[in-house]
Amino acid sequence: AAAVSVGDGAPGDHVVRVEVRGPDGALRAGYSRNALAVRGRYDGVVPLALNDAEGVWTLTVREVAGKVSRTVRFDVTN
């Protein structure tokens, strides 16, 4: 889940860019997308394949208009 914070009041709807990179640092376009954060909240799933590479993957969510982003890393093991 990702949330957009605003300085004053409740957040509205925001467009976010979700980008997924594999352990090699290459963008995985099939897992990346633009999405709508309704009332500032986006819940999504990265449906990795059973044969995706093991290692540390990176997921970045960026609010498109304000260009604020957050990156997290996650481990994939088989």
Side-chain angles (χ1 to χ4, degrees), residues 11-26:
D13 295 345
H14 293 261
V15 176
V16 295
R17 175 71 184 162
V18 179
E19 292 188 343
V20 179
R21 294 182 183 275
D24 59 358

Side-chain angles (χ1 to χ4, degrees), residues 35-52:
L36 183 63
V38 178
R39 291 187 300 274
R41 184 171 174 86
Y42 169 72
D43 293 303
V45 175
V46 180
L48 297 176
L50 293 175
N51 63 346
D52 273 328

Side-chain angles (χ1 to χ4, degrees), residues 28-69:
R28 299 303 202 267
Y31 297 141
S32 300
R33 68 183 70 71
N34 288 338
L36 183 63
V38 178
R39 291 187 300 274
R41 184 171 174 86
Y42 169 72
D43 293 303
V45 175
V46 180
L48 297 176
L50 293 175
N51 63 346
D52 273 328
E54 290 187 348
V56 179
W57 288 60
T58 304
L59 180 130
T60 301
V61 178
R62 178 175 47 90
E63 197 276 328
V64 175
K67 299 187 180 180
V68 175
S69 66

